Amino acid sequence: MHMQRIRVVKEALDANNTIARANRDDFDRSGVAVINLMSAPGAGKTTLLERTLARLEEWGTSTPAPRVGIIEGDVQGSLDSQRLAEFHVPVVQINTDAGFGGECHLDANMVRSAIPSLPLATIDLLVIENVGNLVCPAEFRVGEDHRVMITSVTEGEDKPLKYPLMFRACELVVINKIDLLPHLEVDLNRLLSNIDCVHPGVRCMLVSARTGEGLDTWCEWLWSRVRQQAILA
Amino acid sequence: MHMQRIRVVKEALDANNTIARANRDDFDRSGVAVINLMSAPGAGKTTLLERTLARLEEWGTSTPAPRVGIIEGDVQGSLDSQRLAEFHVPVVQINTDAGFGGECHLDANMVRSAIPSLPLATIDLLVIENVGNLVCPAEFRVGEDHRVMITSVTEGEDKPLKYPLMFRACELVVINKIDLLPHLEVDLNRLLSNIDCVHPGVRCMLVSARTGEGLDTWCEWLWSRVRQQAILA
């Protein structure tokens, strides 16, 4: 019985990869760079995106700035979508409790269902904000080019060792809420060393979405992904 | 195909409930009060348990204190078990990535596999520290008497609205890290109001596991659950 269960999961993952590939082809045809943004609940995904979109509006007044679209994944509700729609970018909400059985992650099929609602021809960068969870989102490709995670310093130094798959699945680890470090008993060097232990050499970026520290570096990284996609297209 | 998927999940949940009932019977026969402790990653479950066990050691020098056992659920590793074993209590580690397929939650069958390693006859209180996740752990009973969640103020005020099942599943919400409130833009009253919105009347407890604020109230609540179990047994 246990073997059968493993087989079913394997088939589900294979179907997911097939659909993820189809999503990726659609994004590639439109020249859209796609980021799958993951973290634990409350690590600051939406706040970082708010600051990113605000910075983009500033840049847009002087130079052409990338046009952003958002897919927002939540079990229930559309609070984050409402926050991001304030920035006049296209936002599509996926609720995983409606028709998907209350899933704790986005999968490729859910993202596929959102694609028709996205103006792919008029955006350069699509950010998919996953459901807040450090386990399952890392197991499901959704058609992204890049996987990024946020870990907040308030979560402690041990998270890479306890949720290694998530830290290994991502090419960039954004370490958020660094403005709180003076008020915590968290050893930043130990956190960095634990990340490097489970994913040697992975890029880490220190950010405070609240104060704006590190925001330029993060935005530059995003824009370079957009330029890379434009060259490949 | 979609209907079939729903049916399979239903059967799995029913099997889980059957095993959870068997676990509960075992715990009841031994007169052990059982707490299922859940939260997002890094909300402070283990730190709160460390402080609880330390307080218990202090109490034990003057009055008979409840004897505690721990089941520690993690995807991988035994960091938290090691921290708690320092307090000379029985700790059993369940790793959900070994033989369970990397699950993001504990289920009744996993807990059942841990029971033979627990000295049920010589403990009064069993705390099951679930995998850090605000979604799936709430869907699986494991044989507990009481479900408790921790939400950290650093996670923001909106979590009850985004993860309502978890907040509804618990009879006590411990609001942790309140020592950080002066450094956050978080409105505690809005958090309390959001909790009451999804679970009207649920008890909330303000705690700082770091400074010890609220720890007496939390320990009193735990001990009253033990006394209640002793009366019922």
Side-chain angles (χ1 to χ4, degrees):
Chain A
M1 187 177 166
H2 197 220
M3 284 305 293
Q4 190 186 355
R5 181 154 167 253
I6 289 174
R7 191 169 56 80
V8 171
V9 171
K10 179 78 164 51
E11 280 170 7
L13 280 177
D14 287 348
N16 187 76
N17 283 338
T18 304
I19 302 172
R21 185 69 250 175
N23 292 349
R24 177 83 179 264
D25 289 345
D26 284 358
F27 298 141
D28 282 351
R29 263 192 298 275
S30 303
V32 178
V34 182
I35 309 288
N36 183 357
L37 185 60
M38 300 179 278
S39 80
K45 295 185 294 302
T46 311
T47 303
L48 182 63
L49 288 179
E50 284 180 317
R51 298 294 185 274
T52 304
L53 294 171
R55 180 65 49 104
L56 180 59
E57 282 186 351
E58 291 166 25
W59 286 13
T61 56
S62 53
T63 54
R67 299 159 298 176
V68 181
I70 308 276
I71 290 178
E72 186 58 50
D74 287 296
V75 177
Q76 207 172 88
S78 58
L79 288 172
D80 292 349
S81 287
Q82 289 165 36
R83 285 168 62 185
L84 297 174
E86 298 281 323
F87 294 88
H88 312 292
V89 297
V91 182
V92 180
Q93 175 77 50
I94 298 176
N95 277 340
T96 67
D97 76 342
F100 295 113
E103 300 286 352
C104 61
H105 57 271
L106 291 180
D107 65 26
N109 201 35
M110 298 178 200
V111 168
R112 187 139 200 90
S113 71
I115 292 180
S117 307
L118 281 167
L120 287 187
T122 59
I123 61 174
D124 309 299
L125 172 67
L126 173 64
V127 180
I128 300 172
E129 187 182 336
N130 219 307
V131 179
N133 182 350
L134 282 186
V135 188
C136 303
E139 298 174 27
F140 292 84
R141 288 219 164 258
V142 293
E144 71 275 42
D145 299 290
H146 308 282
R147 296 202 277 189
V148 176
M149 72 168 292
I150 304 180
T151 188
S152 149
V153 292
T154 57
E155 294 165 28
E157 313 101 341
D158 58 349
K159 294 303 160 291
L161 306 179
K162 295 175 69 180
Y163 304 90
L165 179 65
M166 176 60 77
F167 283 83
R168 280 190 199 120
C170 292
E171 67 183 88
L172 173 65
V173 179
V174 175
I175 300 173
N176 192 23
K177 305 193 190 181
I178 58 166
D179 57 293
L180 292 176
L181 279 171
H183 312 295
L184 303 172
E185 285 157 24
V186 166
D187 182 337
L188 180 61
N189 284 326
R190 183 174 295 178
L191 173 59
L192 288 166
S193 147
N194 285 342
I195 294 172
D196 201 66
C197 177
V198 299
H199 190 166
V202 67
R203 178 157 182 195
C204 293
M205 210 177 267
L206 301 181
V207 168
S208 165
R210 185 162 68 146
T211 68
E213 195 174 342
L215 192 63
D216 280 337
T217 311
W218 157 248
C219 287
E220 290 292 355
W221 185 90
L222 276 180
W223 304 169
S224 73
R225 300 289 91 75
V226 172
R227 287 192 296 272
Q228 188 181 46
Q229 179 72 18
I231 291 165
L232 292 172
Chain B
M1 187 179 165
H2 197 220
M3 283 306 293
Q4 191 187 351
R5 179 154 168 252
I6 290 172
R7 192 170 55 80
V8 171
V9 170
K10 178 78 166 51
E11 280 170 6
L13 281 176
D14 286 349
N16 186 76
N17 284 337
T18 304
I19 302 171
R21 185 68 250 175
N23 292 348
R24 177 82 179 265
D25 289 345
D26 284 359
F27 298 140
D28 282 351
R29 262 192 297 274
S30 303
V32 179
V34 182
I35 310 288
N36 183 359
L37 185 61
M38 301 178 279
S39 80
K45 294 184 293 301
T46 311
T47 303
L48 181 63
L49 288 178
E50 284 180 318
R51 297 295 184 276
T52 304
L53 294 171
R55 181 64 51 101
L56 180 59
E57 282 186 351
E58 293 166 25
W59 286 12
T61 56
S62 53
T63 54
R67 299 159 297 176
V68 181
I70 309 276
I71 290 179
E72 186 57 49
D74 288 296
V75 177
Q76 207 172 85
S78 58
L79 288 172
D80 293 348
S81 287
Q82 289 164 35
R83 285 168 62 185
L84 297 174
E86 298 281 323
F87 294 89
H88 313 291
V89 297
V91 182
V92 179
Q93 175 77 48
I94 298 176
N95 278 341
T96 67
D97 76 342
F100 295 112
E103 300 286 351
C104 60
H105 57 271
L106 292 179
D107 65 26
N109 201 35
M110 299 177 198
V111 168
R112 187 140 200 89
S113 72
I115 291 178
S117 307
L118 281 168
L120 288 187
T122 59
I123 61 176
D124 309 299
L125 173 66
L126 173 64
V127 180
I128 301 173
E129 187 182 336
N130 219 307
V131 179
N133 182 350
L134 282 186
V135 187
C136 302
E139 297 173 28
F140 292 84
R141 288 220 165 257
V142 293
E144 71 275 42
D145 299 291
H146 308 282
R147 297 201 278 189
V148 176
M149 72 167 293
I150 304 180
T151 189
S152 150
V153 291
T154 58
E155 294 165 29
E157 312 101 341
D158 59 349
K159 294 304 160 293
L161 306 179
K162 294 175 70 180
Y163 304 90
L165 180 64
M166 176 61 77
F167 284 81
R168 280 189 198 119
C170 292
E171 67 184 88
L172 172 66
V173 179
V174 176
I175 299 173
N176 192 22
K177 306 194 190 180
I178 57 167
D179 57 294
L180 292 176
L181 278 172
H183 312 295
L184 303 172
E185 287 157 21
V186 166
D187 182 338
L188 180 61
N189 284 326
R190 183 174 295 178
L191 172 59
L192 289 166
S193 148
N194 285 342
I195 294 171
D196 201 66
C197 178
V198 300
H199 191 166
V202 68
R203 178 158 182 193
C204 293
M205 209 176 267
L206 301 181
V207 168
S208 166
R210 185 162 68 147
T211 68
E213 195 175 343
L215 192 63
D216 280 335
T217 311
W218 157 249
C219 287
E220 290 292 353
W221 185 89
L222 276 179
W223 303 169
S224 74
R225 300 289 91 74
V226 172
R227 286 191 298 270
Q228 188 180 47
Q229 179 70 20
I231 291 164
L232 291 173

